Amino acid sequence: MQYHSFLIKYAEIGTKGKNRYVFEDALVHDIRMKLKRVEGEFSVTRERGRIYVNAKSEDYDFDDVVNALQHVFGIVGICPMVQLKDVHEYRQVSDQVLTYWKEVYGDRKLSFKVRTRRADKTFPMNSEEISAELGHDILDAFPNTSVDVHTPEVLLQVEIRQYINIFSEVLPGAGGMPLGTNGKAMLLLSGGIDSPVAGYMISKRGAIIEACYFHAPPYTSERAKQKVIDLAKEVSQYSGAIALHVVNFTDIQLKIYEKCPHEELTIIMRRYMMRIAEAIAKRRNCIGLITGESIGQVASQTMQSLVCTNEVCTLPVYRPVIAFDKQEIVDISQRIGTYETSIEPYEDCCTIFVARHPVTKPIPEKIRASEKIIYDECIPMMEKAVNEAELIWCDASK
């Protein structure tokens, strides 16, 4: 069946109070922007707790539209539907329901239930009456069907509103909140599995994200840099275009390696990364940092280590995968399409300069003392790294 209309379902937005329209308008905007990348013309409208997408012609690809909508945060369900206009009598509704059933299910042996919601109280029958009558009509027209009110194979839904909506399939959406409804944050993006997932998850909560990648040529290759660009593009399918700031970290990293205790290399390096990322974040009007840290996964991610890295930040640090085990993070990365890129064998600066026996329970006072040896020398290096960071726009649609 060729559908021309889609009912868009949302969840959390419906719990908002007087500012609910702000979230609905943001979701409508995001849908329109996403559909601009799909062949065809579409209208997106909002009406009393419902958002509709209507194709203006038959010249569009159903799968492309569904795929685009499944990458819009805020949508929990996509319902391909038949929408009837200027229908005010039961018999007209019944005829369309039977036509819908024949085209979608034919004579298959199926159990079903009809659920009707009547928002338009001028319609001459109430919800229970409409459901009962439609059930009888389907049973008469399709003898292989049967009614199951508890666990039906098909839940046929009919909405009596300004228009009449008929649908039975709910395709899953990405969930979350519309982009731009929760500020902007800076993601510390590496070439690993965790940080792209962290960016995706904060973006899912409605935040716009930018990203910061620490590059250490010649110790890290251009292919490692391209890997991070590819990851940013993959996340951008959900988050929208990402401004990626590529920071040259070589001089600072070598200074740390040369003068600081080797067991503290990772922690001190991480502290400088957080300082630089925060400086860029403030310039870009971000109100938080995002990392892919998970408690205990590596030496720099113990709770004691996180205390040491947090110490140098004034912005809040969001760690959405903090309590996830590795497999849970891998599962999400596979679902959002970043996993295969993340496991490509191109190492970033964190893995090149790793300590052989890193400290797992660093003491902040001791770390500060070790860091003091190089801090004055590193101040101009940090300023240079921030000022000369390369900006790359990463957008999967281009």
Side-chain angles (χ1 to χ4, degrees):
M1 182 174 188
Q2 177 73 356
Y3 295 97
H4 294 91
S5 301
F6 300 84
L7 170 64
I8 304 301
K9 288 182 173 288
Y10 52 73
E12 288 180 76
I13 294 175
T15 67
K16 303 300 178 182
K18 294 181 180 179
N19 65 343
R20 173 172 163 176
Y21 74 94
V22 174
F23 295 88
E24 291 180 332
D25 286 347
L27 181 54
V28 167
H29 172 269
D30 290 349
I31 293 171
R32 286 174 177 160
M33 295 302 293
K34 190 67 72 172
L35 289 177
K36 282 184 178 181
R37 305 170 182 178
V38 177
E39 185 174 350
E41 291 189 46
F42 306 90
S43 65
V44 184
T45 56
R46 177 169 67 89
E47 177 253 314
R48 290 185 300 173
R50 290 291 185 274
I51 294 175
Y52 300 117
V53 173
N54 289 289
K56 293 184 177 181
S57 70
E58 296 185 6
D59 187 23
Y60 80 95
D61 187 283
F62 175 86
D63 292 334
D64 287 348
V65 170
V66 170
N67 181 66
L69 294 173
Q70 287 179 323
H71 285 78
V72 177
F73 287 133
I75 296 176
V76 298
I78 303 153
C79 307
M81 67 175 186
V82 171
Q83 188 172 73
L84 310 177
K85 300 180 180 180
D86 299 321
V87 171
H88 307 287
E89 297 179 0
Y90 170 77
R91 182 45 53 192
Q92 293 173 295
V93 176
S94 177
D95 289 344
Q96 290 296 329
V97 165
L98 296 180
T99 299
Y100 171 87
W101 189 279
K102 182 177 181 179
E103 291 193 25
V104 175
Y105 300 110
D107 293 324
R108 291 162 56 189
K109 186 177 181 179
L110 293 168
S111 63
F112 74 93
K113 175 184 177 180
V114 179
R115 176 186 293 163
T116 304
R117 294 180 179 177
R118 186 187 65 148
D120 179 6
K121 303 305 180 184
T122 65
F123 198 85
M125 300 165 64
N126 64 33
S127 298
E128 291 76 12
E129 291 170 339
I130 296 170
S131 293
E133 289 300 316
L134 287 175
H136 285 303
D137 292 346
I138 292 171
L139 288 171
D140 288 343
F142 302 97
N144 285 332
T145 60
S146 60
V147 172
D148 184 341
V149 297
H150 299 295
T151 56
E153 295 172 274
V154 177
L155 176 60
L156 180 69
Q157 302 191 61
V158 179
E159 294 187 344
I160 310 293
R161 303 173 67 88
Q162 177 183 356
Y163 305 126
I164 295 176
N165 304 322
I166 302 168
F167 60 94
S168 60
E169 187 175 13
V170 182
L171 305 173
M177 300 292 287
L179 293 173
T181 56
N182 271 312
K184 183 165 69 168
M186 181 67 69
L187 168 67
L188 279 77
L189 182 62
S190 72
I193 297 172
D194 306 338
S195 57
V197 171
Y200 161 85
M201 292 179 69
I202 293 295
S203 182
K204 184 176 179 179
R205 300 309 306 157
I208 300 295
I209 62 170
E210 296 197 8
C212 189
Y213 164 61
F214 293 88
H215 193 46
Y219 302 99
T220 51
S221 67
E222 283 300 307
R223 190 59 191 86
K225 174 181 170 181
Q226 185 59 48
K227 174 183 175 181
V228 173
I229 294 171
D230 294 341
L231 285 170
K233 287 183 178 180
E234 286 158 3
V235 175
S236 78
Q237 294 183 75
Y238 293 91
S239 68
I242 295 175
L244 175 65
H245 305 267
V246 180
V247 176
N248 190 321
F249 199 55
T250 305
D251 291 343
I252 295 174
Q253 203 157 17
L254 288 174
K255 186 63 65 176
I256 296 169
Y257 191 81
E258 176 188 348
K259 294 190 175 183
C260 294
H262 275 217
E263 68 272 13
E264 296 174 357
L265 289 178
T266 305
I267 292 297
I268 295 174
M269 180 181 69
R270 191 70 177 169
R271 283 162 66 95
Y272 276 97
M273 286 181 172
M274 299 296 273
R275 289 185 176 107
I276 293 170
E278 181 173 86
I280 297 173
K282 289 180 176 179
R283 288 189 178 187
R284 300 289 294 184
N285 298 317
C286 297
I287 56 176
L289 303 177
I290 310 165
T291 74
E293 291 161 317
S294 170
I295 291 177
Q297 189 175 120
V298 294
S300 64
Q301 296 178 20
T302 63
M303 293 187 72
Q304 294 88 344
S305 296
L306 296 180
V307 168
C308 288
T309 53
N310 271 11
E311 186 181 53
V312 302
C313 300
T314 58
L315 291 178
V317 182
Y318 304 110
R319 297 179 170 97
V321 299
I322 191 72
F324 287 16
D325 63 35
K326 194 66 177 185
Q327 188 57 52
E328 290 173 311
I329 300 171
V330 167
D331 290 344
I332 296 174
S333 72
Q334 290 175 327
R335 176 162 55 82
I336 66 175
T338 58
Y339 179 75
E340 293 300 329
T341 302
S342 291
I343 62 173
E344 289 177 0
Y346 303 103
E347 296 180 314
D348 59 30
C349 61
C350 295
T351 52
I352 294 293
F353 288 89
V354 65
R356 181 172 295 180
H357 301 291
V359 60
T360 58
K361 296 181 180 179
I363 299 170
E365 292 80 5
K366 188 176 179 183
I367 296 298
R368 286 196 295 270
S370 299
E371 198 178 66
K372 190 175 181 180
I373 300 170
I374 62 168
Y375 187 74
D376 289 342
E377 294 179 82
C378 286
I379 288 176
M381 294 181 189
M382 286 193 292
E383 291 175 351
K384 181 180 179 182
V386 170
N387 292 331
E388 296 183 2
E390 179 185 6
L391 176 59
I392 301 173
W393 282 95
C394 302
D395 188 346
S397 68
K398 295 180 180 178

